[in-house]
Amino acid sequence: MLKSIKSCLFYSLLLLATTEMRAVDSVEHSDPDKEKLGLTLSGGAARGLAQIGVLHIIDSLGIELDYLSGTSMGAIVGGMYVSGYSAREIEEMALRTNWSTLFSSEVNLEFIHPVNRRETGKYLFSRPFEDGRLKFETGALEGQQLWNQLSTNFLHVSHIRDFNDLPIPFACVATDLETGEAVVLKGGKISKAIRASMAVPAVFTAVEIDGKKLIDGGVSNNFPVDVAYEMGADKVLGVNVARGLRSADQLRNPLDVILQVGFFSDAKTFASNKEKATWFLDIPLEGIDANDFDEVEKIIELGKREARKNLELFEEIAASQADRKTEHFTTKPAGVKYKLRSIEFRGLESVSEEMARQAFPLKEGDKATSSQVLRAVRILYATGLFDRIYVFAEKREEENTDLVIDLLEKSLVRVGGLLGYNDHIGVWIGGGIQLENPIWNNTQAEGRLHIGENPTLLGRKRFFLDDHRSNWITAEIEGSLIRFPYEGHSQPVDYRRTLFKTSLEYSSLRGRDSYWSVNIGRRMQKLSQRNNADVNINGWINGWKVGVKWERYTLDRHAFPTKGQDLYFSLSHHFGYRHNLSLKKEGYEDPELRDLGLSMIKYQNLHAKWLEYVPLSDKYTAHFLIEFASLIDHQQGFITSYNIGGYRPVVDRQLTMLGLREYQFMDNSYLSGRIGIQRALGERFFASVMMQAGSWGFSLIPILPSEWPHHDFVLGWGISLGYLSRIGPVETTFSYSPEMGRLVGYVNLGWSF
């Protein structure tokens, strides 16, 4: 399914261009007395990359095009060509593109507000809730990153409303979702037209233009030779990479079936258009599937090879233009700065224009390149207020540009679901609700619930104090139920812990990736002993805390990241503890806490973590973890201590260690270091080898001795195999510690909180 989605996403390669782009100053005009030449490029997903090879021959022979028509992939390649990109530049873009990043619905965390990054993208599904029901879009992907790059890469021609005024007159084909009829787009906003032409049904959301919802033009006219003639061409070179309808045994998944049914009607028009073409070039791509974006270089080379085989055809076209008189258009580099004469925000409803202007870093009168406009759009998107942002120039006069920011606000209410499994906390199914601007503007609210063997719940309300969202206040309540073993008494005991935490926190951004906070909160915990032993502890304990913390989260994705940091520091003071614990201990008639070595005096909690991923090559990533934690003056024993063990933190106050199970040890202090190498096995599979060393049982400030045994130092080794699935990471880890003398297996599926 993922690979099929890739086949619809070629246009995104055009978005990551870093080469200099040519902006058009004046248009090329052919001699009106000469025959007009049209070029038609078909749709074909990854196979369509071969058409870049044809453009290379056209460039090298100096063939001048008078018209260009295209559908889907052909619209993408052709649109870039008529906008000033050369075949060489388009090829370089294709070769440099990181397809594994582009071919997913994952959100680029870099452009999400730092306070929301850790939780973004963890729902299995998330849908708007409007008018008392879930709202489903016309496709699975909207693709804000793609919109960003499309709009900015076409910014130099986005003011041209009639595609006949481009250096080469251009038209692309989309399909009316309501009628199934072909819609020829010859004007408007070129990036939006191209986005409509490639909106594969059920994969990409439809694009609304002139009141019509448009999807992929391949459904109705995948090889629009007729359109080139309608534009005014006398002769047309038609290039085809599509394979037509496939046999039933070649349809391997539901998306294949959707595409097959969708292109039934086009099969009827293809034969007619093939006959109309003056020259027809069919590029055979044996062994290349529409999804094979990992074969970019090979596909382009096959296109070049086929064009060279048909060199006589292209030489015939070039010879027919030998006496053509042409006024060439001039160009200027894309790095030119456009003066923003005006900035208009469209589509605002619940979000105020003042807030949007405050969040958008460019102001009227500024000079900016297209890349600076792109950065500004990403900053605006990071506010979390919009589902889609589209940028274009309404008008350009020399360097003066009237910029339009077209916005689609997020629904006020979104509902999500998720499921997962972890060896320690078992199976869970969960759901959540997210509200944007509930009751007051510039606020967020969220509620989540996991139901399973160890249920959890979370409620949160956040108030932003300025339009930049650089300062905010968060009120939060969190509850969980966990079962854990404890071997610190003379006999093993199974406990069930019910935990509630409430907090009120003030936070402030520091740069674009980090923030600090001050907080006050209350911690309430109930212990229930599930078996009889020589020591029994049951009942409630609760107390207050005040603290500070600092966070920086720049990982490129939550699971199996390839670069970035996860840094965390917190220091809190815990005080005012009260309890109604029921205590029993053999040999004591009415035991007190001190008889168990426990006391409810105040203590401090210091916790620091440094996790970093460093790319070594395209396939290899090194990762490092250093973690330190200490409960200073802590005398509450296992009731509120750290639990040491496990590979991924899934419960409160857990510190990970290879070779140990969760709750293998419980202590007041911990220091560990881990190093590993991660290798990508394809696009979604990963393997890691790791080594970790940990020490606990030390103290920075002398405290009363605890009852449980201390193991001062332990080593651990581990290997991990993972798959980045639709529902989150699927991961199996095997680790071993010589001190423990046993192999520990660990399985995790999906996300927890």
Side-chain angles (χ1 to χ4, degrees):
M1 177 68 177
L2 177 62
K3 196 176 180 187
S4 297
I5 291 178
K6 290 182 182 180
S7 66
C8 317
L9 280 167
F10 163 75
Y11 78 100
S12 56
L13 75 87
L14 307 173
L15 312 179
L16 298 183
T18 58
T19 55
E20 287 274 309
M21 185 177 62
R22 297 174 296 145
V24 179
D25 279 340
S26 60
V27 178
E28 166 181 329
H29 299 285
S30 299
D31 188 335
D33 297 327
K34 301 299 180 182
E35 286 185 330
K36 301 298 177 65
L37 174 64
L39 173 66
T40 294
L41 302 179
S42 78
R47 294 166 60 90
L49 293 168
Q51 296 174 123
I52 299 173
V54 173
L55 295 179
H56 272 287
I57 295 294
I58 290 175
D59 279 352
S60 64
L61 294 178
I63 295 173
E64 296 170 358
L65 302 177
D66 297 293
Y67 303 99
L68 195 154
S69 65
T71 295
S72 196
M73 182 68 68
I76 295 161
V77 176
M80 293 300 289
Y81 192 71
V82 304
S83 296
Y85 287 92
S86 68
R88 176 184 60 82
E89 289 172 319
I90 298 173
E91 178 180 4
E92 289 173 353
M93 298 173 204
L95 294 174
R96 284 197 309 271
T97 299
N98 184 340
W99 302 102
S100 61
T101 299
L102 296 177
F103 295 152
S104 71
S105 58
E106 296 171 7
V107 179
N108 189 331
L109 298 177
E110 178 184 359
F111 307 116
I112 299 300
H113 193 288
V115 75
N116 293 322
R117 283 183 192 172
R118 292 183 186 274
E119 308 302 330
T120 295
K122 290 188 175 181
Y123 283 109
L124 172 60
F125 71 88
S126 178
R127 304 260 43 99
F129 188 81
E130 298 178 1
D131 301 323
R133 60 186 178 86
L134 291 178
K135 178 183 177 182
F136 290 89
E137 305 293 345
T138 53
L141 300 176
E142 177 69 54
Q144 174 57 38
Q145 295 177 61
L146 305 177
W147 273 111
N148 283 351
Q149 296 288 347
L150 268 178
S151 56
T152 52
N153 278 344
F154 283 100
L155 186 62
H156 65 301
V157 292
S158 64
H159 63 291
I160 298 175
R161 293 293 179 265
D162 186 345
F163 297 165
N164 286 320
D165 293 335
L166 291 165
I168 301 171
F170 173 70
C172 62
V173 179
T175 303
D176 189 329
L177 181 59
E178 183 175 337
T179 66
E181 298 295 323
V183 177
V184 179
L185 301 170
K186 299 180 180 179
K189 306 174 186 68
I190 185 170
S191 55
K192 194 171 185 179
I194 291 171
R195 171 65 174 80
S197 184
M198 51 69 56
V200 175
V203 177
F204 291 107
T205 55
V207 177
E208 185 169 339
I209 297 178
D210 296 332
K212 297 179 179 180
K213 288 191 174 183
L214 304 180
I215 58 173
D216 197 300
V219 173
S220 56
N221 190 352
N222 196 50
F223 187 51
V225 172
D226 53 341
V227 173
Y229 282 115
E230 291 170 5
M231 295 171 72
D234 299 303
K235 295 182 177 181
V236 176
L237 167 61
V239 182
N240 177 61
V241 295
R243 291 184 296 185
L245 296 178
R246 303 165 69 179
S247 62
D249 60 353
Q250 292 178 310
L251 304 177
R252 301 186 180 94
N253 56 60
L255 184 59
D256 285 345
V257 176
I258 291 173
L259 296 177
Q260 181 89 339
V261 173
F263 295 134
F264 277 162
S265 61
D266 171 68
K268 301 175 183 178
T269 63
F270 175 78
S272 173
N273 277 316
K274 179 180 177 181
E275 291 297 322
K276 291 176 182 177
T278 311
W279 302 277
F280 176 73
L281 179 62
D282 189 71
I283 303 179
L285 296 166
E286 295 299 326
I288 299 296
D289 191 75
N291 311 315
D292 287 337
F293 282 92
D294 53 349
E295 301 284 355
V296 172
E297 186 173 5
K298 178 181 178 180
I299 293 171
I300 296 175
E301 186 55 40
L302 288 173
K304 292 179 182 178
R305 186 183 307 172
E306 190 64 25
R308 287 193 294 266
K309 285 182 181 179
N310 292 271
L311 185 59
E312 291 183 0
L313 181 155
F314 291 97
E315 289 177 337
E316 176 187 341
I317 297 174
S320 69
Q321 297 183 341
D323 58 348
R324 178 180 286 211
K325 298 177 181 179
T326 302
E327 177 188 344
H328 292 277
F329 64 86
T330 59
T331 64
K332 59 185 178 182
V336 66
K337 289 190 174 182
Y338 304 108
K339 185 175 182 180
L340 304 181
R341 180 168 56 188
S342 67
I343 301 176
E344 180 184 355
F345 293 85
R346 296 180 182 173
L348 292 174
E349 295 180 6
S350 61
V351 178
S352 69
E353 181 174 341
E354 181 181 0
M355 180 176 178
R357 288 189 180 277
Q358 286 291 327
F360 192 71
L362 295 176
K363 309 301 178 188
E364 293 177 353
D366 288 350
K367 289 187 176 182
T369 63
S370 58
S371 61
Q372 289 172 324
V373 173
L374 173 59
R375 180 179 180 274
V377 170
R378 287 169 169 169
I379 291 173
L380 180 60
Y381 183 70
T383 61
L385 296 172
F386 307 103
D387 272 334
R388 190 259 300 145
I389 303 176
Y390 172 52
V391 179
F392 60 91
E394 184 67 40
K395 188 176 182 181
R396 276 190 55 203
E397 295 176 351
E398 296 182 351
E399 68 170 5
N400 293 313
T401 301
D402 297 327
L403 194 68
V404 175
I405 317 295
D406 189 81
L407 303 161
L408 176 63
E409 293 184 3
K410 276 190 175 180
S411 296
L412 294 180
V413 182
R414 295 185 72 88
V415 175
L418 67 167
L419 58 87
Y421 170 81
N422 177 273
D423 271 354
H424 182 64
I425 60 178
V427 177
W428 71 84
I429 183 170
I433 182 170
Q434 299 169 303
L435 298 94
E436 194 69 43
N437 297 326
I439 305 177
W440 297 283
N441 282 333
N442 219 5
T443 61
Q444 293 176 339
E446 181 179 13
R448 282 184 288 175
L449 174 66
H450 280 188
I451 300 174
E453 299 174 38
N454 296 279
T456 57
L457 63 87
L458 172 73
R460 180 187 295 136
K461 176 75 173 180
R462 185 169 289 124
F463 304 82
F464 291 97
L465 305 179
D466 56 81
D467 290 337
H468 289 284
R469 296 198 163 188
S470 56
N471 298 279
W472 63 93
I473 294 174
T474 304
E476 184 174 288
I477 180 170
E478 181 180 352
S480 64
L481 187 150
I482 192 73
R483 296 168 177 84
F484 67 93
Y486 176 60
E487 299 182 1
H489 307 316
S490 58
Q491 294 177 302
V493 177
D494 289 329
Y495 280 104
R496 182 176 66 184
R497 183 183 68 190
T498 304
L499 175 65
F500 286 98
K501 296 188 294 183
T502 60
S503 66
L504 185 66
E505 185 172 83
Y506 168 80
S507 306
S508 180
L509 277 181
R510 285 297 175 262
R512 52 179 299 196
D513 296 315
S514 64
Y515 65 94
W516 64 267
S517 305
V518 294
N519 55 69
I520 183 171
R522 189 163 179 82
R523 179 187 179 95
M524 296 164 283
Q525 176 176 306
K526 181 182 180 181
L527 278 180
S528 301
Q529 193 162 320
R530 304 174 68 200
N531 63 324
N532 289 320
D534 60 331
V535 174
N536 287 269
I537 303 177
N538 293 275
W540 284 91
I541 173 175
N542 59 80
W544 293 91
K545 76 149 188 174
V546 293
V548 297
K549 72 175 182 180
W550 175 84
E551 294 189 48
R552 174 182 170 86
Y553 190 87
T554 61
L555 299 181
D556 58 343
R557 59 187 176 213
H558 300 306
F560 318 117
T562 60
K563 63 180 179 180
Q565 297 177 321
D566 181 2
L567 307 180
Y568 178 85
F569 172 85
S570 70
L571 176 63
S572 55
H573 176 66
H574 297 251
F575 62 97
Y577 271 90
R578 300 289 185 269
H579 74 90
N580 67 346
L581 295 174
S582 171
L583 308 175
K584 293 182 180 180
K585 184 176 182 180
E586 288 187 3
Y588 290 80
E589 183 176 342
D590 191 13
E592 297 182 2
L593 284 175
R594 63 173 176 267
D595 297 322
L596 302 178
L598 306 177
S599 175
M600 293 295 120
I601 66 172
K602 61 188 177 182
Y603 68 93
Q604 293 75 44
N605 184 359
L606 174 63
H607 184 199
K609 180 180 76 171
W610 176 15
L611 174 63
E612 182 154 1
Y613 284 76
V614 179
L616 303 178
S617 68
D618 291 342
K619 293 186 178 294
Y620 289 93
T621 301
H623 50 96
F624 312 90
L625 170 67
I626 298 176
E627 189 164 25
F628 172 79
S630 180
L631 297 173
I632 304 166
D633 289 334
H634 181 267
Q635 298 181 27
Q636 296 181 12
F638 77 95
I639 299 175
T640 54
S641 67
Y642 300 120
N643 96 77
I644 300 170
Y647 177 53
R648 297 290 187 195
V650 292
V651 295
D652 182 64
R653 291 194 176 179
Q654 179 184 353
L655 304 172
T656 59
M657 179 66 209
L658 293 173
L660 305 184
R661 288 283 187 189
E662 290 87 346
Y663 289 95
Q664 185 85 54
F665 298 106
M666 303 182 72
D667 211 298
N668 289 345
S669 57
Y670 184 62
L671 173 64
S672 78
R674 188 177 77 205
I675 183 171
I677 298 292
Q678 174 181 283
R679 189 186 191 281
L681 306 173
E683 296 179 353
R684 311 292 285 184
F685 287 92
F686 301 87
S688 290
V689 293
M690 300 160 285
M691 181 182 73
Q692 187 171 6
S695 177
W696 58 91
F698 57 87
S699 73
L700 300 179
I701 300 175
I703 60 175
L704 293 176
S706 55
E707 289 189 351
W708 54 89
H710 285 257
H711 293 250
D712 294 331
F713 184 79
V714 67
L715 285 173
W717 289 269
I719 60 172
S720 176
L721 298 175
Y723 173 67
L724 195 54
S725 74
R726 176 97 171 99
I727 65 173
V730 179
E731 191 170 22
T732 300
T733 303
F734 297 96
S735 60
Y736 177 79
S737 171
E739 286 75 12
M740 298 298 103
R742 64 183 180 187
L743 187 68
V744 176
Y746 174 91
V747 177
N748 181 79
L749 169 65
W751 307 107
S752 61
F753 69 88

